[in-house]
Amino acid sequence: MGSYSERTTTLLEAARSTITSTVDGADTELLKVNRALHGNPELGYEEHFAHQMITDYLLSLGFNVEKHAYGFDTSFEAEYGSGGRLVIICAEYDALPGIGHSCGHNLIATSSIATFIAAAAAMKKHNIEGRIRILGTPAEEGGGGKAKLIDAGAFPNDTAAAIMAHPLAAHQVFHKPGYYTGLAGLKLIASHKFKTEFRGKPAHAAGEPWNGVNALDAAVSAYSNVGLLRQQMEPDERVHGVIEAGGTVPNVITDYTRMNWNVRSPTIERADKLLARVKNCIEAAALASGCKLEYITSPTYLNLRANRTLCELYAQDMDALGTRVQVDQEKLMNASTDMGNVSHIIPSFHGAFVIPAGNDVSAHNPAFAACAGTDGGHKAAVNCAKGMAMLALRVLIDEEVARNAKEDFEQDDE
């Protein structure tokens, strides 16, 4: 009888074969799901088609599925296994207004579904103890779905790992695209998300403007003030805002405006400090214009932390599949995700897989939505799923892996 490590190696190799055959065998149906999601983009918390499509597919495979999980109409949950450790696979499927799946969440859903069904098949065939769970996480694009799911108890504190990956263009993550086709240790920055409402007083803009209080002046002043602040911001920080409601007709003094803001910095501590400075700019605009100011806050996105143990193992497994994945991020990405919040409460993996896209195309570009609908994008997503399924099983099977991932999580210094 071999040593424990030898038995583990033998089990993992057998599981790898099962994972590969499961994903390959399900590819036709996975492509149908992917294309259906891509062709029916939905905004956060309104992903009713996606919710139905994904849950129907999981039900057709024999999984017990909880629809509308944790009190969210477009969340869902399915689980396989019993006892042992728990690994959660996160699925995203919301889109952006006007530009559809230009962040490729149809591919995220596809890769997460493939990861779940492949890991479950390997657990069943090889009698692997533990629990694998897929969690539908709506409204990543600004709605903070995962932050709200955390509050609802969807991520137990004893969860061994949470896993997902995001499609990106190669030039977004690599200085010299071409050699690597994936990234394990994606790191993203923190983001405060909020809206401001300025309320003034209407008046005839020509006849008696002195009797009005101009809310549009407040919005323009706030935007200009923040523009001046940019000169004194760190190069890796970002502030951006839009005027969502700016008035009605020019001959009436605008009495109401609404702005939507993001304040981003590499860590939540720095983001908090930057937010205080931005609020000074906004409040100065309210004071100067004489308008009343109200804030409408959304869940804050914490910076995404990379877990070295999980990243290195994923890269190793992808290498075994013939896919070169870089462990450490070499090019800073000033974007944010609510998976960052998850990475602050449990060990987490959030990788990136490269999909075919030109050097002038990146996420949140309308052209990226077209790239997310290609056969090449689908192939990258399901290939990534094979590595993520192996990663999930390593956490379930190997006590040392789970322990090291937990230690990395506890010692992470941002």
Side-chain angles (χ1 to χ4, degrees):
M1 187 174 181
S3 68
Y4 173 76
S5 60
E6 290 172 343
R7 294 198 308 272
T8 300
T9 299
T10 300
L11 177 57
L12 285 169
E13 287 307 312
R16 190 192 311 279
S17 178
T18 301
I19 285 168
T20 299
S21 62
T22 300
V23 173
D24 290 346
D27 188 62
T28 299
E29 293 303 312
L30 289 168
L31 182 57
K32 288 180 182 178
V33 173
N34 180 14
R35 286 180 172 168
L37 297 179
H38 185 265
N40 294 273
E42 300 166 298
L43 301 184
Y45 299 118
E46 298 175 9
E47 312 98 325
H48 302 290
F49 176 87
H51 178 272
Q52 191 68 39
M53 184 75 189
I54 297 170
T55 57
D56 282 352
Y57 177 61
L58 293 173
L59 285 166
S60 75
L61 297 177
F63 293 104
N64 293 321
V65 180
E66 181 184 353
K67 297 185 177 184
H68 320 302
Y70 300 98
F72 296 94
D73 197 36
T74 55
S75 181
F76 66 87
E77 186 175 85
E79 184 172 306
Y80 179 82
S82 61
R85 288 179 283 274
L86 168 66
V87 172
I88 297 176
I89 311 300
C90 296
E92 298 174 5
Y93 32 87
D94 62 319
L96 287 158
I99 53 176
H101 278 294
S102 58
C103 211
H105 290 191
N106 59 300
L107 295 176
I108 294 177
T110 302
S111 66
S112 295
I113 294 166
T115 299
F116 173 71
I117 64 174
M123 292 171 69
K124 182 178 182 180
K125 183 173 182 178
H126 304 290
N127 299 312
I128 296 171
E129 184 182 44
R131 292 166 292 149
I132 187 81
R133 177 185 298 171
I134 185 169
L135 176 66
T137 63
E140 188 279 333
E141 294 291 353
K146 293 184 193 64
K148 293 182 179 180
L149 283 166
I150 288 171
D151 292 340
F155 295 92
N157 289 333
D158 62 348
T159 304
I163 295 173
M164 66 167 289
H166 199 296
L168 292 171
H171 67 86
Q172 290 184 269
V173 285
F174 302 121
H175 288 297
K176 295 180 179 180
Y179 183 79
Y180 293 106
T181 56
L183 172 66
L186 184 64
K187 291 185 177 182
L188 300 177
I189 64 178
S191 177
H192 286 293
K193 301 172 184 289
F194 61 96
K195 296 185 179 185
T196 53
E197 293 183 318
F198 293 105
R199 286 183 167 82
K201 179 183 175 183
H204 195 293
E208 47 180 24
W210 51 85
N211 286 330
V213 177
N214 198 320
L216 181 56
D217 284 349
V220 171
S221 178
Y223 193 89
S224 299
N225 290 347
V226 170
L228 296 174
L229 176 65
R230 296 182 202 280
Q231 298 178 67
Q232 278 71 51
M233 285 166 44
E234 296 282 352
D236 54 2
E237 295 179 331
R238 299 288 187 272
V239 179
H240 25 273
V242 296
I243 300 175
E244 293 184 331
T248 53
V249 293
N251 64 342
V252 175
I253 297 295
T254 300
D255 66 337
Y256 174 81
T257 55
R258 185 180 67 253
M259 305 181 75
N260 196 344
W261 299 90
N262 284 175
V263 176
R264 306 184 197 245
S265 193
T267 67
I268 189 60
E269 291 79 13
R270 286 178 57 188
D272 287 345
K273 292 179 181 178
L274 181 58
L275 176 64
R277 299 173 69 192
V278 170
K279 283 187 171 181
N280 284 340
C281 295
I282 295 170
E283 288 159 14
L287 180 63
S289 64
C291 289
K292 294 180 180 178
L293 167 64
E294 292 184 9
Y295 291 99
I296 303 171
T297 58
S298 296
T300 294
Y301 287 18
L302 304 184
N303 52 292
L304 179 64
R305 304 163 72 194
N307 187 290
R308 176 153 293 275
T309 294
L310 299 180
C311 289
E312 289 180 347
L313 289 173
Y314 171 78
Q316 290 173 21
D317 282 316
M318 291 302 290
D319 185 65
L321 293 166
T323 300
R324 295 186 296 268
V325 170
Q326 184 161 307
V327 173
D328 295 311
Q329 184 168 325
E330 66 177 32
K331 188 174 181 180
L332 182 66
M333 274 196 67
N334 288 323
S336 308
T337 174
D338 57 6
M339 188 64 179
N341 298 51
V342 179
S343 75
H344 280 255
I345 62 167
I346 55 177
S348 300
F349 171 84
H350 188 304
F353 55 92
V354 169
I355 68 171
N359 290 334
D360 59 342
V361 176
S362 59
H364 290 217
N365 180 316
F368 194 84
C371 298
T374 62
D375 289 345
H378 175 78
K379 182 179 179 180
V382 295
N383 189 51
C384 168
K386 296 173 183 178
M388 292 198 295
M390 281 297 298
L391 178 60
L393 292 188
R394 285 185 183 277
V395 174
L396 296 180
I397 291 169
D398 196 327
E399 174 67 35
E400 184 177 0
V401 168
R403 182 174 61 252
N404 289 344
K406 180 70 170 178
E407 289 176 355
D408 287 348
F409 164 75
E410 292 174 343
Q411 296 172 8
D412 196 307
D413 59 0
E414 309 301 339

